[in-house]
Amino acid sequence: LTPIQLVEDVLVGGGVVVSNVTYTGDTDAIGSFNGVSTNLGLGSGIVLTTGTVLNTASGGLFGGQEGPHGPNDTGSAGTDNGAAGYQPLTDIAAEDTHNAAVLEFDFVPQSDTVRFKYVFGSEEYPEFVDAGFNDVFAFFISGPGFGGTFNMATIPGTGGTPVTIDNVNDNVNSA
């Protein structure tokens, strides 16, 4: 599916008008998923990754599976897709970012409530926590009533701590 189809057909529900969908990143770093028979907590949705969404076993750089597999039981699983980083994520992570997947769109809800659910995961757990690599997720929103751009992806109860592997791991915010 194209990024436009993913947003219109997978991400948003009824009562939402979507426009200006743009995607920046590797074409294999965006896709959809079915999480019905998993413990993910989401029945379906869009996946954005710093690697690939392709469920392949190419024997490539890391000698095995590339893409969203589990369990993560090897220290160097995944793939580097060669995409550029993204400055707003670099600012949050306080580390250079690479392989960014950025999905942007405008939307107008037909009601007074908007909800998005997300799950953050990283192949960098646990070996790269506090080791100079800080995978990060952000969900930026702007528009009337926000006074600029606001990152909605923060850890509950922390006063706005962003979602990164250094901030959510076995030692910090593990719940």
Side-chain angles (χ1 to χ4, degrees):
L1 298 173
T2 68
I4 292 171
Q5 292 169 314
L6 288 168
V7 171
E8 291 178 347
D9 300 340
V10 178
L11 185 62
V12 300
V16 178
V17 177
V18 174
S19 61
N20 300 322
V21 177
T22 61
Y23 171 72
T24 306
D26 188 271
T27 57
D28 290 339
I30 184 172
S32 63
F33 68 88
N34 177 334
V36 171
S37 297
T38 72
N39 65 354
L40 192 59
L42 300 173
S44 64
I46 293 176
V47 60
L48 297 169
T49 180
T50 59
T52 179
V53 298
L54 301 178
N55 190 6
T56 60
S58 68
L61 182 61
F62 299 112
Q65 292 181 332
E66 299 174 359
H69 296 276
N72 174 14
D73 55 7
T74 180
S76 294
T79 188
D80 179 345
N81 66 36
Y86 183 62
Q87 190 61 51
L89 294 177
T90 296
D91 293 344
I92 290 171
E95 303 283 345
D96 286 339
T97 56
H98 307 276
N99 305 315
V102 180
L103 181 62
E104 299 177 83
F105 57 95
D106 296 333
F107 68 95
V108 178
Q110 303 303 307
S111 67
D112 64 353
T113 303
V114 176
R115 291 187 182 107
F116 288 95
K117 293 181 179 181
Y118 69 89
V119 174
F120 172 71
S122 173
E123 191 282 321
E124 307 299 350
Y125 288 119
E127 64 272 18
F128 291 109
V129 171
D130 294 322
F133 300 94
N134 196 12
D135 279 4
V136 58
F137 173 78
F139 194 113
F140 297 115
I141 190 166
S142 62
F146 286 100
T149 301
F150 178 74
N151 179 14
M152 293 177 39
T154 59
I155 302 165
T158 64
T161 300
V163 175
T164 72
I165 65 166
D166 286 353
N167 294 337
V168 181
N169 55 63
D170 283 347
N171 299 317
V172 179
N173 298 309
S174 61

